[in-house]
């Protein structure tokens, strides 16, 4: 019998950054053929050991004859491991992948088309768009949304109160005005690194622009459109109200560590960042608040990049029916609510947000997730991010370069990568 999920196995996997799996490869069925084993690859820290134990017990009780072999994978180097598995004859039966990675794995026919199941069984009409869109390639649904996380504004309540600001800004204009008010003396109204391209993406989308567009099956960079340039112009205006570096992203240095010093009023980050800040500076416990990234008007929050994971089923699996049962359970209402509560995630359906809305950060994140987007669904987009011409483009503009010229150069670089022929 294959090794089962145990708390010790999962705890070890979750704490070991380079761990590639837990358990040993087992056959797809027992010796007498009475029990089918479904092998599931999930990523480190995506779900707690307690959640996975409860899910395994609940699923196996509801599905006699199916046993789960859950193996925790490290994010580092996962792309080549999944690609190799999909090309093999004995892949895992279910794999968790980043929501923006689905297209690259779907190319070449390595994934099952789950469009019918998505429409008939999984309530796809209610999925968050930022998770659903990148899981769809050529109008076929290959990735089933599992969980979402997106950025909000994390703010220092005491600094807001000291500045006389009693409620979060309702739109971009108020956001700029309040940030100017907060930006006094040693205090920074906002810390926004010059190369935080995920935050820029939201501003671009709010203006009606895109990072790249598809025409006739060909993808091209689009940062030089009028709408995209308007998004960059707002980013530059906001970024100037703090002292974030023009040539680094939000992790260099980690913006959470800077916020923990106590003199930064706002950062744009996921709500979970607050726990890391409080661990760094316990004096800030109870003093951190959240509000959605403001939109152009008070009618709705700003558009944000939606990160998270999708579940896929390799085409080469010999356990298709059982694998889809696992995906359906993990993506279904019951376990979606359980996972969101355990991990402070946004569920994959907007109507489930109220079930986890008691925690301020999650509630705020869910409000913004309604207007979430994902990066372009080109299978080459991962290569764009690896080279990432968007970051130096942002630095050039922040340092005074002509935005149109810099954007055209970045767009040309994106186009070259997206239109490269596969080797």
């Amino acid at each position: 019998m294959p090794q089962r999920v145990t708390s010790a196995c999962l705890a070890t996997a979750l704490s070991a950054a380079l761990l590639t799996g837990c358990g040993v490869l087992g056959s797809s069925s027992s010796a007498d053929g009475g029990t089918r084993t479904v092998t599931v690859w999930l990523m480190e820290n995506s779900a707690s050991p307690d959640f996975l134990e409860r899910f395994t017990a609940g699923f196996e009780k509801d599905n006699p004859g199916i046993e789960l072999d859950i193996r925790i994978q490290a994010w580092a180097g996962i792309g080549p491991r999944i690609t190799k598995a999909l090309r093999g004859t004995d892949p895992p039966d279910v794999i968790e992948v980043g929501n923006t990675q689905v297209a690259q794995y779907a190319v070449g026919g390595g994934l099952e088309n789950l469009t019918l199941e998505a429409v008939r069984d999984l309530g796809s009409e209610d999925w968050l768009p930022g998770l659903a869109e990148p899981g769809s390639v050529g109008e076929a649904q290959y990735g089933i949304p599992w969980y979402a996380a997106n950025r909000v504004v994390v703010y220092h309540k005491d600094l807001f109160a000291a500045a006389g600001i009693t409620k979060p800004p309702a739109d971009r204009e108020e956001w700029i005005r309040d940030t100017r008010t907060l930006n006094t003396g040693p205090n920074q109204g906002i810390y926004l690194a010059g190369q935080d391209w995920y935050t820029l993406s939201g501003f671009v989308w709010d203006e009606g622009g895109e990072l790249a567009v598809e025409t006739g099956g060909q993808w091209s960079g689009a940062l030089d459109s009028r709408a995209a340039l308007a998004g960059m112009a707002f980013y530059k205006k906001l970024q100037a109200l703090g002292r974030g570096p023009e040539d680094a992203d939000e992790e260099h240095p980690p913006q959470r560590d800077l916020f923990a010093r106590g003199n930064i009023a706002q950062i744009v980050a996921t709500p979970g960042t607050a726990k890391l800040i409080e661990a760094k500076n316990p004096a800030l416990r109870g003093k951190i608040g959240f509000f959605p990234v403001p939109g152009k008007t008070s009618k709705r929050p700003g558009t944000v990049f939606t990160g998270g994971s999708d579940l896929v089923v390799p085409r080469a699996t010999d356990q298709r029916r059982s694998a889809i049962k696992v995906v359906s359970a993990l993506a279904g209402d019951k376990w979606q609510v359980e996972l969101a509560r355990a991990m402070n995630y946004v569920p994959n359906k907007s109507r489930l947000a109220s079930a986890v809305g008691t925690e301020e950060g999650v509630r705020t994140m869910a409000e913004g997730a309604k207007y979430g987007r994902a990066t372009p669904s080109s299978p080459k987009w991962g290569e764009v991010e690896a080279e990432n011409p968007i970051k130096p483009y942002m630095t050039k503009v922040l340092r005074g370069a002509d935005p149109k010229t810099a954007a055209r150069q970045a767009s040309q670089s994106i186009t070259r990568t997206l239109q490269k022929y596969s080797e």
Side-chain angles (χ1 to χ4, degrees):
M1 180 179 295
Q3 185 169 335
R4 305 289 301 285
V5 176
T6 65
S7 58
C9 175
L10 289 170
T12 301
L14 290 169
S15 64
L18 297 179
L19 191 62
T20 59
C22 192
V24 294
L25 287 174
S27 62
S28 61
S29 63
S30 64
D32 61 7
T35 299
R36 298 179 301 280
T37 298
V38 178
T39 302
V40 183
W41 281 11
L42 297 181
M43 301 308 300
E44 59 182 349
N45 301 323
S46 287
S48 66
D50 177 69
F51 170 85
L52 291 179
E53 287 186 357
R54 286 187 287 109
F55 173 76
T56 299
F59 179 86
E60 292 182 350
K61 180 180 179 181
D62 293 339
N63 296 274
I66 301 178
E67 292 186 348
L68 299 184
D69 180 16
I70 297 179
R71 307 179 183 193
I72 305 302
Q73 306 293 312
W75 282 108
I78 189 60
R81 292 205 304 277
I82 291 178
T83 299
K84 181 179 179 180
L86 293 178
R87 291 174 177 170
T89 59
D90 186 26
D93 304 300
V94 177
I95 306 176
E96 174 195 351
V97 301
N99 63 318
T100 62
Q101 299 171 342
V102 176
Q104 72 186 72
Y105 300 132
V107 169
L111 300 181
E112 279 287 339
N113 183 340
L114 302 177
T115 304
L116 174 62
E117 289 80 6
V119 174
R120 183 187 62 195
D121 306 322
L122 298 174
S124 59
E125 71 281 353
D126 195 33
W127 285 342
L128 295 174
L131 284 180
E133 290 171 3
S136 177
V137 182
E139 298 185 357
Q141 195 73 39
Y142 294 96
I144 303 302
W146 190 27
Y147 67 82
N150 54 267
R151 288 160 175 76
V152 301
V153 181
V154 179
Y155 76 98
H156 193 316
K157 293 179 179 180
D158 285 1
L159 295 184
F160 268 61
I165 301 172
T166 59
K167 61 181 181 179
D171 55 34
R172 279 191 189 176
E173 185 177 346
E174 286 189 11
W175 195 17
I176 292 291
R177 186 180 66 238
D178 289 350
T179 303
R180 285 200 181 106
T181 300
L182 290 160
N183 195 26
T184 58
N187 297 332
Q188 292 186 62
I190 190 168
Y191 179 90
L192 184 58
Q195 296 183 347
D196 185 351
W197 71 278
Y198 284 123
T199 296
L200 169 66
S201 298
F203 300 158
V204 168
W205 292 326
D206 261 351
E207 296 289 348
E210 300 289 345
L211 305 179
V213 295
E214 184 182 18
T215 305
Q218 289 272 46
W219 283 92
S220 302
L223 290 173
D224 53 341
S225 71
R226 181 175 297 182
L229 287 168
M232 182 65 220
F234 178 75
Y235 188 97
K236 182 177 182 179
K237 186 176 183 180
L238 183 65
Q239 198 270 344
L241 297 178
R243 295 191 286 275
E246 297 167 341
D247 59 351
D249 62 25
E250 65 277 12
E251 288 296 325
H252 300 89
Q255 61 178 354
R256 59 184 176 271
D257 292 348
L258 300 178
F259 188 97
R261 296 176 182 176
N263 67 333
I264 291 175
Q266 306 170 90
I267 57 174
V268 181
T270 58
T273 303
K275 294 181 180 179
L276 301 175
I277 292 170
E278 291 170 352
K280 189 84 173 179
N281 183 1
L284 290 179
R285 288 198 178 106
K287 298 181 179 181
I288 298 176
F290 314 89
F291 59 85
V293 174
K296 295 185 69 176
T297 72
S298 60
K299 294 181 180 179
R300 47 153 284 189
T303 307
V304 290
F305 168 76
T306 301
S309 287
D310 281 17
L311 300 169
V312 300
V313 176
R315 177 167 289 185
T317 178
D318 60 359
Q319 297 287 353
R320 185 184 192 279
R321 182 177 298 180
S322 297
I324 291 175
K325 285 186 177 182
V326 175
V327 171
S328 298
L330 284 169
D333 290 5
K334 169 181 169 56
W335 292 106
Q336 277 292 295
V337 172
E338 291 282 337
L339 180 65
R341 287 173 175 167
M343 303 300 294
N344 287 341
Y345 290 147
V346 176
N348 62 9
K349 300 181 182 71
S350 56
R351 63 177 172 78
L352 297 178
S354 60
V356 292
T358 56
E359 203 279 328
E360 181 187 0
V362 176
R363 183 173 66 250
T364 304
M365 187 165 57
E367 187 175 349
K370 298 176 185 177
Y371 307 101
R373 292 279 307 275
T375 50
S377 59
S378 164
K380 295 282 188 180
W381 186 257
E383 296 181 33
V384 173
E385 291 193 21
E387 299 173 3
N388 213 330
I390 303 174
K391 289 185 174 184
Y393 152 65
M394 297 171 71
T395 296
K396 289 177 183 178
V397 175
L398 294 177
R399 289 179 170 173
D402 175 61
K404 181 74 173 179
T405 300
R408 185 182 303 113
Q409 293 170 345
S411 293
Q412 290 170 347
S413 178
I414 291 172
T415 298
R416 285 193 296 270
T417 300
L418 295 180
Q419 294 186 7
K420 278 195 306 187
Y421 291 102
S422 299
E423 298 180 358

